[in-house]
Amino acid sequence: MIIIAGWITVDPDGRNEYLEGCVAVVEQARTALGCLEFTISADIVEDSRINVYERWQSEADLMTFRQSGPDDQQQVAIRDASVRRYEVVSEGPA
């Protein structure tokens, strides 16, 4: 299992517009083969922060879906980011 998790920051006045631009990507990801979870959401504390979380069955499924990062307009809006890839070796109930 692969997890992609982290955050990006954008101008607080443009956060809602940025998130609206992500709706189609989230919808597409959630129907992709091997996607277990995919969410991009506004942080409830920091008004410039957007949280990213993806969970995929395999690296192959992730790579099949992911052909590129944010489009040019979205890339320009990003002020800072910390998004990392994690490979899960075991899992169980919390």
Side-chain angles (χ1 to χ4, degrees):
M1 180 185 322
I2 304 297
I3 293 176
I4 307 295
W7 52 266
I8 63 173
T9 59
V10 297
D11 183 310
D13 294 332
R15 184 172 72 174
N16 287 341
E17 182 180 348
Y18 187 94
L19 289 168
E20 288 169 8
C22 295
V23 170
V25 173
V26 173
E27 291 172 339
Q28 182 181 9
R30 288 181 178 177
T31 63
L33 181 66
C35 181
L36 302 170
E37 181 68 39
F38 196 102
T39 185
I40 301 171
S41 60
D43 189 82
I44 62 171
V45 175
E46 296 179 40
D47 61 358
S48 63
R49 181 174 162 148
I50 296 171
N51 297 310
V52 176
Y53 181 80
E54 304 173 32
R55 195 165 52 98
W56 295 88
Q57 286 182 343
S58 70
E59 178 78 16
D61 292 332
L62 170 63
M63 297 316 292
T64 298
F65 173 74
R66 180 153 304 166
Q67 296 184 8
S68 65
D71 67 27
D72 291 340
Q73 187 176 30
Q74 287 178 314
Q75 190 65 42
V76 169
I78 297 173
R79 291 180 166 181
D80 195 11
S82 177
V83 179
R84 300 288 184 257
R85 178 191 171 282
Y86 303 91
E87 188 172 338
V88 178
V89 295
S90 68
E91 70 174 298

